[in-house]
Each structure stands twice: as structure tokens, then as C-alpha cells.
Amino acid sequence: MPRPTVAEVSALIADLAALRQDRTSAEYAALMARKADLLERIAAHTPGDADAAEAARLARERADALKSTD
């Protein structure tokens, strides 16, 4: 699993802000999947950080729930 980059985090934040303006449920679900992937990668590169692991777990649960409603 590659280490997340600052550029990836910045791009996700920019996309989240843009999506607030005009979003579809499919776009939102895809963006939440990207967020979960990124948080999982961050957690993988910060072993022992329980907060990072919990944030990643919650994000994945949310992304999976959105995927199942499509």
C-alpha cells in the first residue's frame, strides 16, 4: 500500500469542497470511497495510531453503506 501524499489529501479536500456545490449520490459515494481508501493508507503508515485506525474503519463503513444503496 503506497504512502499517501500531501497532493492526494489536497485533491480530496478540493473535491469535497466542489462536491458540496453540486453532487449526485453516485459522485458522493465515489468520493467517500476515495476518502476511505486514503484514510486506510494513512492508518497503514501510522501503526499504533488508534485514532487513525478508527477514522479509517468508520470511513470504510460509511463508504460501503453508500455503495450498497446504489
Side-chain angles (χ1 to χ4, degrees):
M1 189 175 279
R3 179 180 214 110
T5 66
V6 172
E8 288 176 301
V9 173
S10 294
L12 178 66
I13 291 169
D15 290 345
L16 284 167
L19 194 61
R20 275 190 219 155
Q21 305 300 319
D22 181 37
R23 74 176 192 199
T24 67
S25 60
E27 289 172 325
Y28 183 69
L31 193 54
M32 291 303 100
R34 258 180 68 200
K35 176 184 170 185
D37 291 343
L38 187 58
L39 288 173
E40 287 171 339
R41 289 172 46 211
I42 290 169
H45 285 276
T46 54
D49 186 336
D51 291 334
E54 180 68 0
R57 185 188 67 75
L58 292 171
R60 176 55 58 202
E61 283 180 7
R62 177 71 175 142
D64 289 349
L66 289 169
K67 189 180 352 174
S68 69
T69 62
D70 285 343

